Amino acid sequence: GKFILPLSMNDPQKWNYSFTTPSSDWIKNVTSANFKLGMAPFGIENKNTPKVNTPWNTKTLFLNKEFTLSSVPSKVSLVACNTGMTEVYINGVYVMQFNNFLKNDSEVKISETLLTDKARSLLKLGVNQISLKFNFPSVGTPVYYYDFGIKEY
């Protein structure tokens, strides 16, 4: 597949971000939300993570980004590099929770999951919006690193 929204570890991307809930309607109305603009990846650099562009060390992370499609792909996958749970919204609609947990080691893993046909049907020609709400699990030591991308097949 090829990236339609690259991972920032390879090609740094600007994201709208907030460490607290940006507004009550942040998923649908980005312009009214209390976002800052920063380059991903987000986190605290350590020996187990790639380079970080925007510092982040809170329990939650809210992200939002627009991306443009010149055609709607027949298969789309989400790619995440983090250690926790991400709620994913496409064009204002909840599509899934993407879980990515540490497996007895401290290295951040990249994982990929296909979007369902129903979720993919939310994508349209032109400008689309992806909104992400990340939380750490209640157990374990948090690893502050977050990167996200979208691939088409």
Side-chain angles (χ1 to χ4, degrees):
K2 78 171 182 114
F3 279 101
I4 43 183
L5 178 59
L7 284 172
S8 290
M9 66 178 70
N10 304 323
D11 181 8
Q13 300 291 308
K14 275 188 187 153
W15 285 80
N16 296 307
Y17 76 95
S18 179
F19 303 137
T20 56
T21 307
S23 68
S24 58
D25 63 346
W26 70 276
I27 294 158
K28 288 189 165 59
N29 190 355
V30 181
T31 52
S32 73
N34 187 18
F35 278 116
K36 295 179 178 133
L37 195 59
M39 296 297 276
F42 296 86
I44 300 171
E45 277 189 53
N46 72 49
K47 66 184 185 333
N48 296 315
T49 63
K51 182 181 183 317
V52 165
N53 287 322
T54 300
W56 161 60
N57 65 353
T58 58
K59 188 170 169 49
T60 55
L61 180 63
F62 296 82
L63 294 170
N64 185 288
K65 183 165 182 58
E66 289 184 342
F67 61 99
T68 303
L69 293 176
S70 54
S71 63
V72 177
S74 56
K75 288 207 180 304
V76 177
S77 70
L78 305 178
V79 183
C81 186
N82 61 54
T83 59
M85 303 156 293
T86 303
E87 290 174 20
V88 179
Y89 302 82
I90 293 175
N91 293 327
V93 180
Y94 175 80
V95 293
M96 67 181 295
Q97 181 169 299
F98 193 151
N99 296 331
N100 205 6
F101 298 122
L102 291 176
K103 308 275 194 270
N104 302 322
D105 64 38
S106 55
E107 254 184 52
V108 178
K109 302 283 192 283
I110 296 176
S111 58
E112 185 171 351
T113 188
L114 275 176
L115 276 183
T116 63
D117 287 341
K118 184 178 177 196
R120 191 184 54 78
S121 72
L122 296 167
L123 295 170
K124 59 187 195 280
L125 286 179
V127 177
N128 291 269
Q129 177 183 299
I130 186 144
S131 304
L132 309 169
K133 178 187 177 186
F134 175 81
N135 282 294
F136 286 112
S138 54
V139 296
T141 305
V143 176
Y144 293 100
Y145 185 83
Y146 197 93
D147 198 356
F148 195 88
I150 304 172
K151 271 178 143 175
E152 66 177 333
Y153 289 91

